[in-house]
Amino acid sequence: MEIGIPNDLADLNRLRAALDASCVVGTWAWDHVRGVVTYDEGAARVLTGNPELADREIKGPIALALVHPTDMTWLMEHMLRAVQVGGLVLAEYRVFRRDGTVRWLLSRGRTYHDEAGRPERSHGILIDITDMRDGGERYVLGTTPAYPDPLMQAADMALSLKNVLGPEPAPEVIEAANLLLFRLGCAIARATDQQLQ
């Protein structure tokens, strides 16, 4: 079976299901030469509040009408810098929904330059990451607890603390850090001995 552009309804349904499972809520295209952006229906809905603007060229503030005001300034500055640099573009920002709730989006795309190095176009997707940011249910494969033992975690944190203190901390601070490391080491040794018995 050749992999390519979906050519029947079953392929399109599988593609839509995969996008939904990935929390992809829309796609966008930005023509830098003409200064217009084009959204699919999902992106038009979450960024403008009007899905009827899908597949139309949009200019100006309406293109980002639902972006949280607090995020708007830095988002525009970030996007303009990213466009000049080219390559991968990533931005996390908030948008309002019609019901007043706030959602988090991750915009992931790529900017392409012409032969003279001028920004030509950018394309990307929008992913709703609200559940990830708000601690929603998830299970990540390949991620095991970094510290099965809280004492080991505490020892690593104590070492990090000592490193953060820098080369010339107050003597009493160094003494306290060393004492903490010593006590943690003793507790780890006792726990290891008990496991071996």
Side-chain angles (χ1 to χ4, degrees):
M1 180 173 136
E2 185 176 324
I3 298 176
I5 298 174
N7 57 11
D8 66 8
L9 187 57
D11 287 342
L12 286 173
N13 287 337
R14 279 193 294 275
L15 177 60
R16 284 189 186 113
L19 291 174
D20 286 344
S22 302
C23 299
V24 173
V25 293
T27 63
W28 54 268
W30 186 0
D31 181 332
H32 301 294
V33 176
R34 297 180 43 240
V36 295
V37 67
T38 307
Y39 299 139
D40 72 351
E41 185 178 331
R45 179 179 292 108
V46 299
L47 292 175
T48 72
N50 184 356
E52 293 179 9
L53 291 176
D55 301 317
R56 296 184 186 179
E57 293 181 343
I58 307 169
K59 285 186 175 186
I62 193 169
L64 298 172
L66 296 184
V67 172
H68 196 288
T70 306
D71 295 346
M72 182 63 78
T73 302
W74 75 258
L75 177 63
M76 291 307 300
E77 291 172 0
H78 165 78
M79 293 300 289
L80 292 174
R81 276 195 312 270
V83 164
Q84 294 304 315
V85 171
L88 184 63
V89 177
L90 289 171
E92 286 184 21
Y93 54 94
R94 294 167 291 178
V95 292
F96 287 107
R97 292 175 66 176
R98 287 184 183 263
D99 64 3
T101 59
V102 174
R103 304 296 292 177
W104 279 93
L105 295 181
L106 171 67
S107 181
R108 186 187 196 287
R110 188 162 296 278
T111 296
Y112 301 91
H113 289 172
D114 63 16
E115 292 177 2
R118 293 181 300 256
E120 191 171 40
R121 67 191 189 291
S122 298
H123 299 278
I125 60 173
L126 296 172
I127 303 168
D128 187 325
I129 59 169
T130 306
D131 288 342
M132 288 179 11
R133 291 191 63 97
D134 292 346
E137 291 181 25
R138 62 188 171 275
Y139 181 80
V140 180
L141 294 175
T143 303
T144 57
Y147 300 96
D149 180 356
L151 286 173
M152 293 299 288
Q153 182 178 9
D156 275 358
M157 293 174 86
L159 285 169
S160 295
L161 170 68
K162 192 167 178 183
N163 289 334
V164 168
L165 293 174
E168 298 178 3
E172 63 271 12
V173 173
I174 285 290
E175 184 179 342
N178 286 337
L179 181 59
L180 175 61
L181 282 167
F182 176 76
R183 294 291 183 201
L184 285 167
C186 291
I188 291 169
R190 278 193 305 275
T192 303
D193 283 344
Q194 288 174 356
Q195 288 174 356
L196 293 175
Q197 293 176 356

